[in-house]
Amino acid sequence: MTYSVTVAQMRSHVRQLCEANRIAINYDRHASASYREREIWIRAVRSSRAYAVALHEIGHILGRYQLSRATLVRERHAWDWARRNGLRWTPEMRRHADRCLEHYARQESIPQHKATLGGPLVSQFPSAGDVAAQRRKRTSESANASKRHSGSQMNWPRGLFRVWVVASVLWAVGYAGYFWHSCWLQSETGDYWCFTGEFDDWMEPLRHFGWRQYLFNSGWAVGVPLLVLLMGWATYAVLQWIVIGVRGR
């Protein structure tokens, strides 16, 4: 159909289909369906791709050949049901369906999947001599700083910058942990599915990530600390300008 369909209409259509066919809807990060229990697990419909996935999961219950032992047969007919029963079927939805089918076709062509690890670990720790030299250097710098600032006020810019460094590291580590915790291993194919950030909370196999997905996640991990640094620097510059102006009167 060529007329425009809103996200609200897509969401309502999914709900109506499930109510008419007595299919229970559950909301979860991982989309799936139970043919015998007549239940589906989907994300909230907030985009055309999420709508396509919801229809696809309904197709696993209402579509043809869903008792077949061949995964590709079940997937192909579930997507076919989604295409024929959707209010709309955009090129983006078609491309996503084609990508999913290609993924399953490629996995069926591989007789066995084996997890591979990288090469041998290389120690990243400095030598004992380097550690001692760095410790002496830090001690000397600390003593010199104490002499320079003895009897004076605290160096706020340096202190706040150190706080920012620590907070930035914690933020980057925390976001990396959050991103990896959001991933899940598909036991059937051996792929890790992770958040892409393209459409709210959309997920894709990690090996399908492109520069946009990596840019999005890098922006969150690095961009937020840089934005905080920029805002802090601007605030400090404004305060310095105000203090100098007051002293000059």
Side-chain angles (χ1 to χ4, degrees):
M1 296 183 181
T2 58
Y3 61 87
S4 177
V5 179
T6 65
V7 173
Q9 290 174 325
M10 298 179 197
R11 189 181 302 118
S12 177
H13 184 230
V14 171
R15 185 170 58 253
Q16 291 171 3
L17 285 172
C18 291
E19 290 176 355
N21 295 279
R22 298 181 180 180
I23 299 174
I25 302 179
N26 304 286
Y27 293 98
D28 190 72
R29 291 188 304 173
H30 315 311
S32 59
S34 173
Y35 180 86
R36 291 181 173 81
E37 299 297 330
R38 299 186 73 81
E39 284 188 272
I40 62 171
W41 288 261
I42 59 173
R43 292 180 178 273
V45 177
R46 298 173 181 170
S47 65
S48 58
R49 287 211 301 181
Y51 174 58
V53 171
L55 292 175
H56 170 72
E57 299 306 330
I58 297 174
H60 275 304
I61 299 175
L62 302 180
R64 302 173 62 190
Y65 306 118
Q66 291 307 305
L67 294 180
S68 171
R69 293 185 178 182
T71 301
L72 189 57
V73 171
R74 298 194 304 270
E75 292 294 324
R76 182 179 291 115
H77 284 279
W79 279 117
D80 181 64
W81 188 96
R83 178 183 57 81
R84 289 187 289 104
N85 291 273
L87 295 176
R88 64 182 301 188
W89 195 254
T90 64
E92 179 187 8
M93 297 163 71
R94 177 182 55 78
R95 286 193 296 270
H96 180 69
D98 290 343
R99 173 182 288 185
C100 292
L101 290 175
E102 290 174 2
H103 169 74
Y104 281 105
R106 184 165 48 250
Q107 296 303 324
E108 283 200 354
S109 65
I110 302 175
Q112 190 176 9
H113 307 285
K114 295 182 179 180
T116 58
L117 298 176
L121 295 175
V122 180
S123 175
Q124 299 296 323
F125 295 100
S127 63
D130 293 336
V131 172
Q134 292 176 2
R135 185 177 298 143
R136 287 194 299 269
K137 182 178 180 181
R138 287 196 298 269
T139 303
S140 176
E141 289 176 351
S142 177
N144 293 334
S146 299
K147 292 179 181 179
R148 287 197 302 267
H149 298 288
S150 177
S152 63
Q153 294 182 348
M154 176 181 176
N155 191 332
W156 284 100
R158 178 176 297 179
L160 292 176
F161 180 76
R162 290 175 178 174
V163 171
W164 173 83
V165 170
V166 174
S168 298
V169 172
L170 292 176
W171 168 267
V173 172
Y175 184 81
Y178 166 78
F179 173 80
W180 187 249
H181 181 71
S182 70
C183 299
W184 64 283
L185 177 63
Q186 187 180 30
S187 59
E188 186 175 355
T189 62
D191 283 331
Y192 280 95
W193 287 66
C194 303
F195 289 130
T196 64
E198 291 182 340
F199 292 89
D200 294 332
D201 49 2
W202 192 256
M203 301 184 78
E204 291 279 359
L206 187 60
R207 60 191 184 85
H208 286 165
F209 273 30
W211 66 269
R212 292 182 180 178
Q213 290 83 2
Y214 286 114
L215 182 62
F216 173 84
N217 289 288
S218 298
W220 273 103
V222 180
V224 171
L226 291 179
L227 180 61
V228 172
L229 178 63
L230 181 61
M231 294 174 61
W233 176 83
T235 302
Y236 177 76
V238 171
L239 292 177
Q240 284 288 94
W241 177 75
I242 294 175
V243 170
I244 292 174
V246 171
R247 289 179 179 177
R249 292 182 181 179

